[in-house]
Amino acid sequence: MLYAEKTNSSTEIWHEIARKNFDAKKLCIFAWYLIERGLQPDVACEDRKVGLIGSRIYISLCCLSGAQAFNIFNDYLFQRALDQLRLIRGLLSSGHLSITNNRVDIVQNTKSKNKKPFAVNNSRVKQTVFEQLTLEDGTELRYMLCDVLDSLFVFLNRDLLSSAQQCLISLAVFLQQLMQLDFSEKTSLLQCKRLSDFQRLRGFSDRSFALMHRFLDNRHAVSGVVYGRVVMPRLLFWTFENTVLPTNAHPPKLMTTYKEAMLNFIRLRIEKNSEEEIFTILLVLQNVCFRCPDRSDYRAKVASSVIEVLAYLPPKHIRDFANFLLLIGANSKVAVRGFVIEIAVPFVKQCGKLFSHP
């Protein structure tokens, strides 16, 4: 099916299906069955692989030209396919399977005097066993996940998600989690125009950024989903669970590396001169001002991130941000006013020339 999409022969598949009076939806149901089998709790690695196969079958079906005529896309089924991908990502990240076994314990109740047993109870006790993922299984899962990502890359060229808000959120969350598998300072942030270029990417983090570009370029929905779920938490130096670090902890180097990557990603996106997306980036910066934790270490780092992003924005949007700072400078929240004070000096140093009169 993926080959058919690459060679623009999708119509031949649909004609063949129609000629044989085969209901295409039955293939979707079959893929759904495989996905649900892989999502069941406490199943073996082979069942997880079956679920991954089901995800690829379904996403590949959605990729085919003319799939909309057969009503192939279903937002619930697509979310279940994403759930399967997130589960596999979790397996690759942790390196082990969690299996719960029901063990039968025989308990003998005795009398207090002669201690003769008068009753025997069979009680089931759930016992969780962690099985290490073998090197062979881990390698196979990685290759299989790459295959599904190939289909997802083609899928994002279709305008199928624009009306499925929950699917947009689920996809953004998956891309954010996928990035964590092998992210480093060497991660590629570049865009891929062709599937062959995408397939040459080595790391999952490379593919995650390429899919984010694809996601934003095809206008499936407002860009705020990607920026809000993936980009903004990294500018705020939040943890991967989107929480603030404990008071006695400071953002580690990895968080700084993530921040630098997001700054470069934003720069690449701004270079496309999409007014809608640039406006979204401005809204993200405004949101960051409100969400920055009321701590000196966070204020300094987050303010620096905002200033760096502003350097890429057109003058018009910088002036809009200046007006925004004037407005929130009188906010009732102490944390917000504190952030305005923190960012005021570096903002004037960098952007003051825009407001100077001749």
Side-chain angles (χ1 to χ4, degrees):
M1 286 184 287
L2 190 61
Y3 173 78
E5 181 58 35
K6 290 167 64 177
T7 56
N8 295 321
S9 59
S10 304
T11 53
E12 297 179 7
I13 292 180
W14 298 124
H15 288 159
E16 187 68 16
I17 289 176
R19 188 179 67 82
K20 293 185 177 182
N21 293 322
F22 182 78
D23 188 354
K25 291 185 178 180
K26 290 183 179 180
L27 189 54
C28 294
I29 294 173
F30 174 66
W32 187 9
Y33 166 76
L34 298 182
I35 292 170
E36 293 296 338
R37 177 177 166 181
L39 286 173
Q40 293 302 305
D42 310 322
V43 295
C45 186
E46 293 304 316
D47 294 297
R48 303 298 189 199
K49 294 175 185 177
V50 168
L52 203 51
I53 292 172
S55 296
R56 193 188 186 199
I57 290 175
Y58 179 67
I59 296 176
S60 296
L61 274 174
C62 294
C63 290
L64 296 176
S65 299
Q68 289 174 291
F70 291 85
N71 295 320
I72 298 298
F73 179 77
N74 177 276
D75 54 350
Y76 174 77
L77 185 48
F78 182 75
Q79 285 189 65
R80 296 301 283 171
L82 289 178
D83 289 341
Q84 180 66 48
L85 300 187
R86 291 170 63 182
L87 188 150
I88 297 300
R89 188 219 67 90
L91 285 180
L92 293 175
S93 178
S94 64
H96 63 257
L97 289 165
S98 175
I99 300 177
T100 302
N101 298 323
N102 287 326
R103 189 182 77 248
V104 178
D105 284 358
I106 300 177
V107 181
Q108 292 184 343
N109 296 328
T110 61
K111 294 182 178 180
S112 58
K113 292 183 178 180
N114 53 19
K115 295 185 179 181
K116 292 182 180 180
F118 66 89
V120 177
N121 294 330
N122 293 338
S123 61
R124 292 189 175 273
V125 179
K126 288 188 176 182
Q127 184 180 34
T128 301
V129 179
F130 294 97
E131 294 185 2
Q132 192 72 24
L133 199 64
T134 66
L135 179 61
E136 181 181 353
D137 284 336
T139 302
E140 187 175 0
L141 285 174
R142 286 178 178 274
Y143 278 114
M144 293 177 69
L145 181 56
C146 285
D147 289 339
V148 184
L149 295 179
D150 292 345
S151 299
L152 189 59
F153 180 81
V154 178
F155 171 83
L156 288 177
N157 203 35
R158 301 278 180 257
D159 187 20
L160 297 174
L161 296 178
S162 56
S163 60
Q165 182 68 18
Q166 192 57 46
C167 288
L168 294 170
I169 295 173
S170 297
L171 180 56
V173 171
F174 167 67
L175 294 179
Q176 185 261 340
Q177 294 175 343
L178 180 69
M179 189 184 302
Q180 298 172 24
L181 275 178
D182 53 15
F183 177 82
S184 71
E185 57 187 10
K186 296 181 180 180
T187 294
S188 171
L189 312 178
L190 299 180
Q191 183 177 7
C192 294
K193 294 289 187 180
R194 298 175 299 180
L195 177 60
S196 57
D197 297 331
F198 181 76
Q199 290 173 326
R200 280 194 286 268
L201 295 176
R202 294 186 176 183
F204 285 113
S205 56
D206 303 336
R207 290 173 176 246
S208 177
F209 275 105
L211 289 170
M212 283 168 57
H213 279 295
R214 188 87 158 179
F215 194 9
L216 291 168
D217 281 343
N218 289 284
R219 307 290 181 87
H220 290 278
V222 290
S223 51
V225 176
V226 172
Y227 282 98
R229 297 282 175 166
V230 184
V231 178
M232 188 176 70
R234 305 289 75 84
L235 297 181
L236 283 164
F237 291 86
W238 284 352
T239 66
F240 297 123
E241 291 74 31
N242 290 342
T243 59
V244 180
L245 289 169
T247 306
N248 57 349
H250 297 282
K253 182 181 178 181
L254 181 61
M255 286 189 175
T256 302
T257 306
Y258 263 107
K259 186 262 296 185
E260 294 295 334
M262 291 305 169
L263 290 176
N264 287 321
F265 177 77
I266 291 173
R267 175 180 56 80
L268 293 173
R269 298 305 307 175
I270 291 177
E271 289 175 356
K272 292 181 173 292
N273 293 319
S274 167
E275 182 62 30
E276 178 185 348
E277 193 169 340
I278 291 175
F279 181 70
T280 298
I281 294 170
L282 178 63
L283 292 180
V284 168
L285 295 183
Q286 294 175 355
N287 211 335
V288 164
C289 296
F290 281 101
R291 290 175 176 265
C292 179
D294 189 17
R295 285 165 44 181
S296 59
D297 55 339
Y298 264 99
R299 282 196 298 269
K301 288 181 176 293
V302 174
S304 175
S305 298
V306 173
I307 293 298
E308 290 184 71
V309 175
L310 287 171
Y312 305 136
L313 291 179
K316 172 185 177 298
H317 296 283
I318 296 176
R319 294 189 184 95
D320 291 341
F321 186 78
N323 293 329
F324 168 76
L325 288 181
L326 290 174
L327 181 64
I328 67 172
N331 193 278
S332 59
K333 294 183 178 180
V334 176
V336 176
R337 296 200 305 271
F339 186 81
V340 173
I341 295 173
E342 183 74 38
I343 200 174
V345 173
F347 177 75
V348 171
K349 285 183 177 180
Q350 177 172 289
C351 308
K353 293 181 180 179
L354 292 175
F355 308 98
S356 60
H357 297 285

